[in-house]
Amino acid sequence: MIKKLLGNILLLLLISNHQVVWGQFVPKNITEEQRIKANHWVEKTYQNMSQDERLGQLFIIALYTNKGDAFIQNVRNIVEKEQIGGLILMQDDASKEISLVNELHAKSKIPLLIGMDAEWGLYQRIPIAHKFPWAITLGAIQNKQTIYENAKKIAQDAKRIGVNWNFAPVVDVNTNPKNPIIGNRSFGSTVENVTQSAYAYTMGLQDQNILAAIKHFPGHGDTSTDSHLTLPVVHHSLDRLQAVELAPFQNLIDKGIGGVMVAHVYVPTLEKGKNIPASLSYSVVTELLKKQMRYQGLIITDALNMNAVADTYPPGVVDALAFKAGNDIMLFSQDVAKGKAEIQKAIDRGEIPAQRVEESVKKILKTKYFLGLSQHPETINPQNIHWDLKTEKHKQIIQNAYSEAVTLLKDDKNLLPLKKEDTYYYLPLEEAPLGLYPELLQLGITLKTIEPKDIPLLPQSAKVIIGIHKDNSTAYKPYTISKQNKTLIQKIAEKHLLLLHIFGSPYALADVEIKNISTVVVAYENNDDAVIASVQGLLGKKSINGRLPVTVNHTLPAGSGITKNKTK
């Protein structure tokens, strides 16, 4: 059945009678001489390594700065003894991370790949950094160059602290509104938008020589459980998988994408073994991704400490199973020494071909060469890092993105742009109200903040703005509006001109009747940058051009939105 899948696209894999392989990262404008040098360095380096050192390259472990000195010392010991391939930087001190990266590079015979989950910038792990928009926000933007510019700035921040691999972007097509782990991290619910947005994001990284990793293969978008907690199951036919879940990967792997991250999800159509995660499935990783889709870039597991695999497979054993499946790198390994031993035992038993180590290690080495890691990198200065990750330039790029994302779904009574001669009543609802509309006051709009108890006292002709302010502290927070507030919204809409402003996921509108609501605006997130961008659109100082990246319900499909040109 796997051979049937993607059969149509295999015709594209033969050009001039030569097999085409996709995915190995190569920097822009590389010369043939540089390719030859890369191959020479890889071969020489590989031959000078012991088998134990070669096995070490297959592992990336986590580095936290908030788990104490004993934890950090253990990382030092593993780096030095096991000669691992890289680190994933976790929470939370940028200066300390820089100092440790400098130190740990020096302990490594071959420089380390330094990775980070930085989908919405370094802020995802380092709270002093400036937060970039979530993918769902970027997915609303019609000018994909704006996404490119956001990713380019994220790449520059990554370089500043020594990161050379951003484990992003997510290319899961979020077709399940109740998805607890993807949701805001997805560019949307249509293959075309996800592909275009992800490509812009990926090129923004890789044009700056920061490796990308599209994830979570073969697709995590239609899941209702969190793989950090348990093993999700994706129940779809081959035709559906090819049309939706696999499609963004199919569309992107021929674009030089440096990495593909494999998910801990069980897809019965692709893997007949009971409850075998894709990350540990030979059918998914080798037969499908490597052989059928011809992907030859780096293949990395999702974190191996996640309960979807950690609850079933012991540390070390899970690493060997992941390598046997076809992965090149085991991310967040919990026991490198045991993992190396288990892989070697499997090779000795004939369960893993001996050449697999050579295949994977040479891919890793070539990637390191092209990332500038053929020699130890220059020492990074941690001084002023807190300022460097939160500059005026960050603010300009990020606020522009939020501005281009703002989406107008309705404006039946032409409430927009807001007028200085009118009076507006502002009612903030939900759990995280921001000082949104002082921005409007400063710009000359007459605005009176009210509470629910004030509603009966409003004049019949009142123009009311309701701000739905959802908790923005993580991408995983619930997005639903409380039953009490939904009732309140309907009561106000029946008697007054209402502008409903969603500062959160558009899925919040899934069970909200908007027929009687004059104006509906979605800003996607609840933070100061989204607020400022929204105000500019409400006042007509900037055009509103965003489109829904997801299907909310049958009346609000993906692509919904009205353009409102700027008037000032």
Side-chain angles (χ1 to χ4, degrees):
M1 296 184 81
I2 295 295
K3 290 183 178 179
K4 176 185 174 185
L5 184 64
L6 307 177
N8 292 336
I9 71 165
L10 293 183
L11 295 175
L12 302 176
L13 300 176
L14 298 177
I15 299 176
S16 301
N17 295 320
H18 293 289
Q19 180 174 291
V20 177
V21 292
W22 290 338
Q24 182 73 53
F25 169 72
V26 178
K28 291 179 71 175
N29 304 319
I30 198 79
T31 66
E32 187 61 28
E33 181 182 2
Q34 289 169 319
R35 289 177 187 270
I36 293 171
K37 286 183 178 179
N39 291 333
H40 177 74
W41 180 84
V42 168
E43 190 62 34
K44 180 181 178 181
T45 303
Y46 184 81
Q47 295 303 327
N48 287 335
M49 298 169 73
S50 68
Q51 177 70 353
D52 188 67
E53 289 172 337
R54 292 168 181 170
L55 292 173
Q57 289 296 301
L58 308 175
F59 296 87
I60 288 178
I61 66 170
L63 173 61
Y64 291 83
T65 59
N66 62 353
K67 289 195 172 184
D69 292 340
F71 177 91
I72 292 173
Q73 186 57 46
N74 187 53
V75 172
R76 290 188 179 104
N77 295 340
I78 294 172
V79 169
E80 195 161 15
K81 182 179 179 182
E82 307 298 343
Q83 287 297 301
I84 58 174
L87 301 167
I88 176 173
L89 302 188
M90 303 297 287
Q91 289 81 358
D92 65 342
D93 186 312
S95 296
K96 195 168 185 178
E97 284 184 345
I98 290 173
S99 297
L100 285 168
V101 166
N102 288 333
E103 175 192 340
L104 295 171
H105 270 308
K107 293 180 182 295
S108 301
K109 180 178 177 180
I110 298 170
L112 299 157
L113 281 172
I114 306 296
M116 178 181 275
D117 288 312
E119 297 164 29
W120 48 93
L122 273 59
Y123 176 87
Q124 190 169 350
R125 296 293 181 234
I126 300 174
I128 58 96
H130 206 126
K131 182 195 172 300
F132 285 77
W134 292 331
I136 194 171
T137 311
L138 297 177
I141 296 171
Q142 300 307 292
N143 179 8
K144 301 308 179 185
Q145 180 67 22
T146 299
I147 301 175
Y148 178 94
E149 295 298 331
N150 271 248
K152 177 180 176 181
K153 191 60 179 171
I154 291 172
Q156 291 168 353
D157 289 350
K159 281 185 177 180
R160 178 65 182 87
I161 70 165
V163 167
N164 40 51
W165 194 354
N166 184 359
F167 299 127
V170 169
V171 301
D172 301 316
V173 182
N174 198 79
T175 56
N176 186 343
K178 298 185 183 300
N179 196 319
I181 191 59
I182 303 302
N184 290 318
R185 300 167 64 199
S186 168
F187 292 109
S189 61
T190 66
V191 169
E192 182 180 15
N193 189 34
V194 168
T195 299
Q196 292 176 354
S197 300
Y199 180 67
Y201 188 106
T202 298
M203 291 301 103
L205 296 178
Q206 294 194 168
D207 284 354
Q208 298 296 307
N209 228 36
I210 298 295
L211 202 66
I214 55 176
K215 60 186 184 183
H216 306 79
F217 186 84
H220 208 323
D222 189 12
T223 53
S224 56
T225 53
D226 181 353
S227 51
H228 292 84
L229 306 176
T230 189
L231 180 63
V233 182
V234 178
H235 293 288
H236 285 304
S237 68
L238 284 173
D239 288 343
R240 154 67 191 231
L241 291 170
Q242 184 176 4
V244 180
E245 277 73 19
L246 288 166
F249 295 96
Q250 295 168 7
N251 295 339
L252 291 169
I253 62 171
D254 66 339
K255 307 296 186 186
I257 308 298
V260 171
M261 180 179 286
V262 186
H264 305 314
V265 296
Y266 172 46
V267 189
T269 300
L270 303 179
E271 169 54 64
K272 296 309 178 185
K274 181 69 172 176
N275 291 328
I276 302 296
S279 54
L280 307 184
S281 168
Y282 185 89
S283 295
V284 173
V285 181
T286 297
E287 293 291 344
L288 176 57
L289 181 57
K290 295 172 77 170
K291 292 184 178 181
Q292 297 298 321
M293 297 174 75
R294 306 291 188 190
Y295 181 69
Q296 293 298 306
L298 287 180
I299 302 174
I300 184 169
T301 68
D302 207 342
L304 293 178
N305 69 328
M306 293 164 62
N307 289 353
V309 291
D311 280 354
T312 306
Y313 307 95
V317 173
V318 71
D319 301 78
L321 290 172
F323 186 67
K324 183 178 180 180
N327 295 282
D328 300 305
I329 297 176
M330 277 54 74
L331 177 64
F332 225 115
S333 175
Q334 301 296 285
D335 194 330
V336 173
K338 187 173 182 180
K340 291 164 74 173
E342 292 290 335
I343 290 172
Q344 188 58 53
K345 284 192 288 186
I347 293 172
D348 294 341
R349 292 192 298 264
E351 297 172 5
I352 299 175
Q355 62 265 31
R356 268 296 323 284
V357 175
E358 181 177 2
E359 173 195 326
S360 291
V361 173
K362 285 185 175 180
K363 276 200 283 183
I364 294 165
L365 291 176
K366 184 172 284 189
T367 300
K368 286 187 174 185
Y369 182 91
F370 284 138
L371 291 174
L373 297 174
S374 60
Q375 55 190 359
H376 285 83
E378 294 183 3
T379 299
I380 300 172
N381 186 352
Q383 188 174 359
N384 297 325
I385 186 61
H386 288 204
W387 298 104
D388 293 343
L389 296 181
K390 204 165 188 175
T391 65
E392 189 62 32
K393 183 65 173 177
H394 285 89
K395 187 181 295 186
Q396 292 171 2
I397 291 172
I398 291 165
Q399 286 184 4
N400 181 62
Y402 280 113
S403 178
E404 290 192 32
V406 173
T407 303
L408 178 63
L409 297 176
K410 286 186 69 179
D411 192 28
D412 294 349
K413 303 296 183 181
N414 292 313
L415 281 178
L416 298 184
L418 302 182
K419 302 171 181 61
K420 290 185 178 181
E421 59 269 23
D422 290 343
T423 296
Y424 301 90
Y425 298 87
Y426 172 57
L427 175 62
L429 297 177
E430 293 300 307
E431 67 271 19
L434 283 179
L436 162 66
Y437 288 99
E439 295 284 340
L440 290 174
L441 287 171
Q442 293 172 14
L443 294 169
I445 297 297
T446 302
L447 191 76
K448 298 180 179 180
T449 301
I450 58 174
E451 298 178 17
K453 64 181 178 61
D454 300 321
I455 297 301
L457 305 177
L458 293 178
Q460 186 65 38
S461 60
K463 296 178 179 179
V464 180
I465 301 171
I466 291 180
I468 299 296
H469 293 277
K470 300 302 296 181
D471 187 339
N472 212 117
S473 57
T474 77
Y476 314 108
K477 290 283 187 177
Y479 52 77
T480 54
I481 302 172
S482 71
K483 183 177 180 180
Q484 178 183 1
N485 285 338
K486 282 185 287 190
T487 300
L488 184 59
I489 290 168
Q490 296 305 324
K491 286 183 177 180
I492 294 173
E494 288 172 3
K495 296 183 178 180
H496 305 287
L497 288 178
L498 173 61
L499 190 166
L500 180 63
H501 205 315
I502 305 295
F503 289 94
S505 169
Y507 286 129
L509 292 168
D511 57 356
V512 175
E513 176 55 66
I514 64 171
K515 180 180 179 181
N516 295 326
I517 301 174
S518 170
T519 304
V520 180
V521 178
V522 179
Y524 299 95
E525 299 184 44
N526 188 39
N527 57 48
D528 289 341
D529 289 318
V531 164
I532 293 169
S534 291
V535 166
Q536 296 298 308
L538 296 182
L539 293 176
K541 291 181 177 292
K542 287 194 174 181
S543 297
I544 299 178
N545 293 310
R547 296 292 184 269
L548 279 185
V550 295
T551 292
V552 172
N553 54 36
H554 70 281
T555 61
L556 293 173
S560 297
I562 302 167
T563 295
K564 181 74 74 168
N565 293 321
K566 69 177 182 179
T567 58
K568 300 177 183 179

